[in-house]
Amino acid sequence: MSPALVGVHPEDALLEENEERTMIDPTSREDPKFKELVKALLDWINDVLAEERIVVRQLEEDLYDGQVLQKLLEKLADRKLNVAEVTQSEIGQKQKLQTVLEAVHDLLRPHGWALRWNVDAIHGKNLVAILHLLVSLAMHFRAPIRLPEHVSVQVVVVRKREGLLHSSHISEELTTTTEMMMGRFERDAFDTLFDHAPDKLNVVKKSLITFVNKHLNKLNLEVTELETQFADGVYLVLLMGLLEGYFVPLHNFYLTPDSFDQKVHNVSFAFELMLDGGLKKPKARPEDVVNLDLKSTLRVLYNLFTKYKDVE
């Protein structure tokens, strides 16, 4: 009565009694959101490791032995791990993985991340475990990428019982919402406003519009929509110049940005000007502002309001 084993890997026929193996259902691999998630993580890893001349093409094949994960963590956390550089033997690879994963756990555990991977899963090329690990790292280190939300996969679990292979399907959630993943331990007044007090939210928006227009009007600029008019970063850069009393050279940013990257450049540049002005690093990511995330935009502007509200 065992369900038909779709695309069972030849190795699965060699399972020991009561041993189990998991794999992603082939249909889930074809899901556009799943492919988008894998591509975003691949591009991010290759971007981080560009200086190391490391190119990752397949997550499960290139990350299982700990070599790339070690380099990735060292780069992200800016620290050296005390591990052997190259290890060919399985035992050596697993020891290296153990060290790398312990370092990851030390970083993530205090923040309450659920650790849904282990040495055997990563070394066994379990793509679900590898993706859980990478998503957690990307979120923890605030990777400048946009991960697709609500990505789930169907996982086939194959177990050997009394000499026969049995399979079952379970659903595995890889990402939730960006808000939940990024801000899970950083709820603030804006979360409360959005969740419980939309009327007060409008009061805050009006105050912020009055504040930014007081300064932007000097350049004959007018803001009516906070959601959209700061998304390309131009007004943010000009506003910082007005608040701090300097002219921002036009070659430092794109006055008419026409691509996502140019807009991200502008918002990132505005964030640098904020840091130069003695403000804390904004909690929002440039990508979130560009993606019209109102909460992120409000956080950035409120940050400016609290410091510069008395500036004429």
Side-chain angles (χ1 to χ4, degrees), residues 71-286:
K71 297 290 183 198
L72 182 66
L73 186 63
E74 287 181 339
K75 202 86 176 150
L76 292 171
D78 196 21
R79 55 176 279 202
K80 282 294 282 179
L81 292 179
N82 186 20
V83 288
E85 273 306 311
V86 181
T87 49
Q88 300 297 340
S89 72
E90 183 177 327
I91 292 172
Q93 288 173 352
K94 284 189 170 180
Q95 284 172 340
K96 178 179 213 156
L97 255 182
Q98 182 73 37
T99 306
V100 173
L101 293 184
E102 278 172 8
V104 171
H105 297 172
D106 290 344
L107 282 170
L108 301 185
R109 200 180 280 116
H111 298 284
W113 288 98
L115 309 177
R116 299 163 75 175
W117 57 84
N118 56 42
V119 170
D120 288 334
I122 303 285
H123 196 267
K125 304 181 183 179
N126 181 325
L127 184 54
V128 171
I130 291 170
L131 288 170
H132 277 312
L133 171 61
L134 292 175
V135 167
S136 298
L137 286 174
M139 288 299 159
H140 179 78
F141 288 104
R142 295 184 173 272
I145 54 176
R146 191 83 179 168
L147 296 180
E149 300 184 339
H150 298 298
V151 180
S152 290
V153 288
Q154 287 295 315
V155 176
V156 184
V157 182
V158 181
R159 178 186 281 269
K160 194 168 193 175
R161 279 203 309 268
E162 296 174 4
L164 294 173
L165 293 178
H166 298 262
S167 75
S168 57
H169 282 70
I170 55 170
S171 184
E172 186 83 34
E173 188 178 53
L174 296 172
T175 65
T176 53
T177 65
T178 305
E179 185 69 17
M180 277 178 68
M181 293 186 292
M182 289 299 293
R184 50 198 300 177
F185 311 109
E186 300 177 12
R187 284 185 66 79
D188 60 12
F190 282 103
D191 293 302
T192 311
L193 280 178
F194 269 76
D195 294 346
H196 306 295
D199 49 332
K200 288 183 185 167
L201 181 63
N202 285 327
V203 175
V204 172
K205 282 167 74 172
K206 279 180 184 158
S207 301
L208 290 175
I209 285 176
T210 304
F211 163 69
V212 297
N213 280 335
K214 179 171 120 180
H215 300 284
L216 289 173
N217 285 167
K218 296 167 191 169
L219 298 177
N220 293 323
L221 300 172
E222 179 88 22
V223 169
T224 53
E225 285 286 322
L226 292 178
E227 287 93 329
T228 54
Q229 286 180 271
F230 286 96
D232 64 6
V234 175
Y235 279 16
L236 265 184
V237 171
L238 296 174
L239 183 59
M240 277 311 300
L242 290 163
L243 293 172
E244 282 287 331
Y246 53 70
F247 176 76
V248 182
L250 296 180
H251 64 262
N252 280 345
F253 67 105
Y254 298 95
L255 199 54
T256 53
D258 56 8
S259 71
F260 183 79
D261 287 344
Q262 288 182 356
K263 292 173 185 176
V264 169
H265 168 88
N266 282 355
V267 178
S268 300
F269 177 56
F271 282 12
E272 285 173 29
L273 298 179
M274 290 171 200
L275 289 173
D276 291 345
L279 282 154
K280 282 185 183 171
K281 185 181 181 195
K283 267 168 61 170
R285 300 180 314 152

